[in-house]
Amino acid sequence: MSAFSEYIVYADESGSPVLGADANDFPVFVLVFLIVKKSYYAQEVVPKIQQLKFDFVGHDQLILHERDIRRQSGAFAFLQVSEEKRAEFMGRLSSIMDAAEFQLCCAIIDKSKLAEKYADPWSPYDLALTFCIEKTAKTLREAGEEDTEVNVIFEARGPREDHHLELEFRRIVGGQPKIGKALPVVQRFRWVPRFVDKRSNSTGLQLADLAARPLGLEYMRPTQDNRAVKILRQKMVFPHPKCFP
């Protein structure tokens, strides 16, 4: 039986994978794989995020969600108390993200261009998943890994959606991607997709969530200043996200 990888992967998305959905507000689908060494994650990343939560809300059950933070809503309504409080929280969170030693693989599917180019296009999620798995495999191989079990953590979306995603995931890692040729490096690992409830309060999933939307916005508005992307750029395994088509 293969040894466990020293790394773990957390996946999250932004935008709808349905063609035509959110055509005006967010017409792209973004998938992010966050790759982090398990020992560093457990010893450095998780404790800092936990302390952040303790300092601002007094408990560690707060789930970092980019949309709620941006809107200062729900559990993040406390950010409306004062500009100073919001600036302090955002500053701390940005510092943690900046200092954290993780890597990002990102795929952005432009749904309008996909529909224009192909009469019967593949699912944006399936395409993005292929790109992210391939890039992650290359990254792990460059880190000196081979023939290890790689756990990829997804947020559960529902029985039907999770079943479809797992089937496509296993098709890709089994050497049958829908697009392009199978990359031998992908099959050098034993991939295990795991679906967890959002309420699991996974730090890794929360960090992946914080990365997905800003990278999509940069694609849509490349001239707009985006402070979050300046941090995320340093984490990319390739200079730019994979954009398709």
Side-chain angles (χ1 to χ4, degrees):
M1 192 171 183
S2 301
F4 295 123
S5 170
E6 293 185 1
Y7 296 83
I8 189 164
V9 182
Y10 296 94
D12 201 45
E13 73 269 4
S14 184
S16 171
V18 178
L19 291 176
D22 299 329
N24 296 322
D25 298 330
F26 201 76
V28 298
F29 176 75
V30 183
L31 182 64
V32 165
F33 273 22
L34 184 148
I35 309 163
V36 62
K37 200 165 190 177
K38 293 173 182 175
S39 58
Y40 177 81
Y41 174 76
Q43 297 167 18
E44 298 290 338
V45 179
V46 173
K48 289 180 180 178
I49 291 294
Q50 297 297 85
Q51 191 62 55
L52 174 75
K53 295 177 181 181
F54 285 136
D55 290 345
F56 282 89
V57 296
H59 60 82
D60 62 352
Q61 297 308 297
L62 182 73
I63 296 178
L64 301 176
H65 189 37
E66 189 274 341
R67 183 179 62 183
D68 291 341
I69 294 173
R70 173 167 41 88
R71 296 179 177 180
Q72 302 177 44
S73 62
F76 292 90
F78 73 90
L79 296 177
Q80 299 179 26
V81 172
S82 69
E83 183 59 35
E84 291 75 16
K85 175 70 72 173
R86 181 180 183 280
E88 182 185 2
F89 177 83
M90 295 305 297
R92 282 273 301 276
L93 181 57
S94 294
S95 294
I96 293 172
M97 293 285 285
D98 192 18
E101 297 176 6
F102 59 78
Q103 295 176 286
L104 293 172
C105 291
C106 177
I108 300 174
I109 308 301
D110 189 317
K111 296 188 293 183
S112 60
K113 290 184 179 180
L114 183 68
E116 291 174 2
K117 187 170 183 178
Y118 299 96
D120 185 21
W122 295 290
S123 161
Y125 205 125
D126 295 351
L127 292 171
L129 185 63
T130 301
F131 298 139
C132 285
I133 289 175
E134 291 176 349
K135 288 184 178 182
T136 299
K138 292 177 181 179
T139 300
L140 294 175
R141 188 69 191 91
E142 289 172 0
E145 293 219 346
E146 186 172 8
D147 193 31
T148 56
E149 179 182 296
V150 181
N151 285 276
V152 183
I153 313 301
F154 295 89
E155 182 178 303
R157 298 185 298 161
R160 186 176 67 176
E161 293 87 347
D162 295 345
H163 179 67
H164 171 84
L165 177 55
E166 182 172 1
L167 287 177
E168 189 58 33
F169 186 100
R170 295 193 181 283
R171 181 180 293 116
I172 295 167
V173 301
Q176 297 179 314
K178 288 182 178 178
I179 184 170
K181 297 181 179 179
L183 297 184
V185 67
V186 172
Q187 297 173 65
R188 290 185 176 183
F189 300 94
R190 188 158 59 90
W191 302 85
V192 181
R194 300 193 183 277
F195 300 88
V196 302
D197 193 287
K198 182 178 181 178
R199 291 171 293 183
S200 68
N201 205 352
S202 163
T203 295
L205 284 178
Q206 291 168 64
L207 295 183
D209 173 84
L210 294 176
R213 182 177 172 84
L215 291 170
L217 287 175
E218 187 202 27
Y219 171 82
M220 294 166 52
R221 308 164 191 163
T223 61
Q224 180 175 304
D225 184 56
N226 192 323
R227 184 171 58 181
V229 169
K230 292 178 181 179
I231 294 174
L232 299 174
R233 279 285 186 192
Q234 305 171 42
K235 316 292 186 183
M236 300 293 291
V237 296
F238 293 92
H240 301 282
K242 170 65 178 181
C243 300
F244 186 87

